[in-house]
Amino acid sequence: MENFSNLMTGFSVALTTYHIAIMGAGVLLGILVGVLPGLGAPNGVSLLLPLTFTMDPISAIILLTSMYWGALFGGSTTSILFNIPGEPSSVATTFDGYPLARKGQATHALTLAFLSAGIGALFGVLVITGLSSWVAKFALKFSSPEYFAVYFLTFASFVGMGSASPFKTVVSMMLGFGFATVGMDTISGSLRLTYEIPDLIKGISFLIAVIGLFGIGELLLTMEEGLRFDGIRARVSPREVLKTIATLPRHWVTLLRSCLIGCWMGITPGGPTAASFMSYGLAKRFSRRGKEFGKGEPAGIVAPEAADHSAGTSAMLPMLALGIPGSATAAVMMGGLMIWGLTPGPMLFIERPDFVWGLIASMYIGNVVAVVLVLATVPLFASILRIPFSIIGPVIVVVCFIGAYTVNSGTFDLWLVLAFGLVGYVFKKLDYPIAPLVLAMVLGDKAEDAFRQSMIMARGSLAVFWSNGLVGTIMTIGVLLLLWPLLAAGISRVSGGFGRTPSIRLN
């Protein structure tokens, strides 16, 4: 009942004309970001973040989250109509969305995607509503060792549970830690890794890194691939939308399973991309029409879209309650909270309940607004992709550099954007994950401070991380996750050895 009363208070904050107008504007901007190649939710949010510095934090976070929902929907639009995933998490939607659209059922495919996404997002918000207060109260028991254990668990989860190679994940994370240490040490006050460059004294802004990694890096890759837009024209008719709504209940098992997968992968560092692929694979495995997947099967659209959006939404829970982002976009938003003077974590629920519950309430409204607006604007945003990339590309570059310059109003940051753009391009070419790098840049300083404070408390003894049941359990799970790739390889090798029939050599 406490959560319900808090949620009602949140609705009184979110249900204002100004905030609803902000939601609409954010969703439309997000759809544009999701549709345009070379942009994406993390980059779109980071480009918009400097414009929120003068806004009230509640209005600012509503604008950013609405843009996020819109970007996810925009990625689905291009996946179905153009076979071009606007978001990495929309790749699985292309498998059946585009074939179904080519059969002349573009409206059916789009409506299925948007409704499934809306249901997945609302499911994720329900999970946040039910668990946020409990997680926040639990986190109040934390001190420096517990916080470091949680950070360690987060980093280890990316290694043990991520879809990328564990080695590549560790390399990406180490680079992020290196970038996070540039500038002034928060405890001793000494300068680190500045190489006598005055502009590096203030450190490297994670916003600059994100704009380069996701924006310029993606554009370089898009230019190399010579992307052409040959799409299917679509106009959403109300009659087809109603027909599709009538067919949605037959997919309830797929919807429920996908929502649960999405919430799990959102709260843990699996992320929306891993959730959409896992959900698609399970839907194909358990469907009676498994052979039809890849040829325009409706369940092949429902599964990844519901998982994608429930994961994207539920990733906000660990960010708000623990100060640990569950995705790259949540990491950017967490950076925004710190810029606005708010500290993510359990005290945020006590000090600024209007902010937390206003945000949660806005998620309910924002996703409904997103579904309505995306259905109404499909023809408009689909037509944007018919503009030659030679025009779109330079516009995106200009937007990226303007966003980077507004962070600190320094020309040195523009060179950093180019450098991180090259890093992002190389990472994409070599199939290195970028999310661990962004996560390490955002959490690197906080993890280092928690570790050093713990060492001061324990006079240099690592035993402090096993000094009580709570911190010991978290650290043990973190160590197991960190070593899980090696353990899994050893288990498979042993089981393979037992299952192999011994051979006899005759000389």
Side-chain angles (χ1 to χ4, degrees), residues 253-492:
V253 175
T254 302
L255 275 170
L256 180 59
R257 180 177 59 236
S258 301
C259 289
L260 291 172
I261 292 171
C263 287
W264 169 249
M265 298 300 281
I267 294 172
T268 62
T273 304
S276 62
F277 277 100
M278 181 185 296
S279 183
Y280 182 87
L282 289 175
K284 183 178 180 180
R285 169 67 179 80
F286 291 108
S287 175
R288 296 177 181 177
R289 296 169 53 83
K291 294 182 179 179
E292 298 300 317
F293 276 66
K295 302 176 184 178
E297 172 62 25
I301 301 172
V302 171
E305 284 297 312
D308 176 8
H309 285 248
S310 61
T313 305
S314 55
M316 301 293 287
L317 174 60
M319 187 270 283
L320 288 172
L322 299 173
I324 299 170
S327 66
T329 308
V332 177
M333 291 184 187
M334 178 175 158
L337 262 66
M338 292 188 285
I339 291 171
W340 302 327
L342 302 176
T343 303
M347 292 305 296
L348 188 64
F349 285 74
I350 298 172
E351 295 170 353
R352 290 296 304 271
D354 59 327
F355 175 86
V356 174
W357 291 102
L359 168 60
I360 293 173
S362 75
M363 291 182 186
Y364 286 96
I365 307 165
N367 278 292
V368 174
V369 171
V371 172
V372 173
L373 283 179
V374 78
L375 282 169
T377 57
V378 162
L380 170 64
F381 287 105
S383 65
I384 291 174
L385 277 183
R386 295 186 174 89
I387 301 173
F389 184 73
S390 57
I391 297 174
I392 292 178
V395 170
I396 295 174
V397 172
V398 170
V399 171
C400 287
F401 278 113
I402 291 174
Y405 185 78
T406 55
V407 174
N408 294 310
S409 300
T411 54
F412 183 75
D413 289 340
L414 303 182
W415 292 106
L416 284 178
V417 166
L418 285 175
F420 277 106
L422 291 174
V423 172
Y425 171 76
V426 172
F427 268 44
K428 291 284 185 180
K429 293 293 289 183
L430 300 180
D431 200 25
Y432 275 73
I434 295 177
L437 190 154
V438 176
L439 178 79
M441 285 194 70
V442 173
L443 290 184
D445 284 342
K446 295 165 73 71
E448 181 187 7
D449 290 348
F451 178 78
R452 292 169 72 174
Q453 288 165 5
S454 301
M455 290 295 95
I456 292 171
M457 288 169 53
R459 298 182 180 180
S461 173
L462 290 174
V464 69
F465 298 118
W466 282 269
S467 58
N468 59 63
L470 177 59
V471 67
T473 301
I474 297 172
M475 282 296 293
T476 302
I477 295 173
V479 171
L480 289 174
L481 282 174
L482 187 65
L483 299 176
W484 178 248
L486 295 175
L487 295 174
I491 291 170
S492 62

Side-chain angles (χ1 to χ4, degrees), residues 11-297:
F11 274 113
S12 68
V13 173
L15 274 176
T16 65
T17 305
Y18 177 58
H19 284 155
I20 292 176
I22 283 178
M23 290 177 204
V27 167
L28 290 174
L29 283 171
I31 297 172
L32 179 62
V33 163
V35 164
L36 289 176
L39 289 175
N43 194 41
V45 171
S46 62
L47 287 173
L48 193 61
L49 188 54
L51 303 179
T52 67
F53 292 166
T54 57
M55 296 175 65
D56 175 73
I58 298 175
S59 303
I61 196 67
I62 287 176
L63 178 61
L64 294 182
T65 51
S66 298
M67 185 185 211
Y68 181 34
W69 315 143
L72 293 177
F73 282 109
S76 305
T77 303
T78 57
S79 296
I80 291 170
L81 296 183
F82 293 86
N83 203 27
I84 300 168
E87 289 284 321
S89 56
S90 299
V91 172
T93 306
T94 63
F95 299 159
D96 285 278
Y98 186 66
L100 188 60
R102 292 197 65 180
K103 292 179 180 179
Q105 300 183 53
T107 299
H108 182 55
L110 289 167
T111 306
L112 268 181
F114 299 151
L115 291 177
S116 302
I119 291 170
L122 289 175
F123 190 93
V125 183
L126 286 171
V127 170
I128 292 176
T129 304
L131 295 181
S132 55
S133 292
W134 178 82
V135 174
K137 289 177 181 176
F138 176 70
L140 285 174
K141 303 177 181 178
F142 287 14
S143 59
S144 295
E146 283 81 9
Y147 271 113
F148 175 77
V150 172
Y151 295 138
F152 176 74
L153 176 64
T154 304
F155 299 136
S157 298
F158 267 86
V159 177
M161 298 176 62
S163 56
S165 159
F167 172 77
K168 292 180 177 179
T169 301
V170 170
V171 170
S172 177
M173 207 172 285
M174 291 301 109
L175 277 174
F177 289 139
F179 292 136
T181 58
V182 174
M184 186 176 292
D185 180 8
T186 55
I187 292 182
S188 68
S190 59
L191 297 179
R192 303 183 294 186
L193 302 179
T194 56
Y195 302 104
E196 298 184 358
I197 301 174
D199 292 284
L200 288 178
I201 293 175
K202 63 182 181 295
I204 299 175
S205 169
F206 79 97
L207 276 177
I208 301 297
V210 168
I211 291 171
L213 292 168
F214 290 102
I216 305 300
E218 287 285 351
L219 272 177
L220 292 173
L221 201 65
T222 302
M223 290 167 59
E224 183 185 39
E225 292 172 353
L227 190 61
R228 292 179 67 249
F229 307 133
D230 297 319
I232 297 167
R233 296 184 181 273
R235 186 173 297 278
V236 177
S237 66
R239 181 179 295 178
E240 284 295 321
V241 171
L242 293 174
K243 284 183 179 179
T244 304
I245 292 174
T247 66
L248 201 59
R250 71 180 64 167
H251 301 294
W252 72 271
V253 175
T254 302
L255 275 170
L256 180 59
R257 180 177 59 236
S258 301
C259 289
L260 291 172
I261 292 171
C263 287
W264 169 249
M265 298 300 281
I267 294 172
T268 62
T273 304
S276 62
F277 277 100
M278 181 185 296
S279 183
Y280 182 87
L282 289 175
K284 183 178 180 180
R285 169 67 179 80
F286 291 108
S287 175
R288 296 177 181 177
R289 296 169 53 83
K291 294 182 179 179
E292 298 300 317
F293 276 66
K295 302 176 184 178
E297 172 62 25

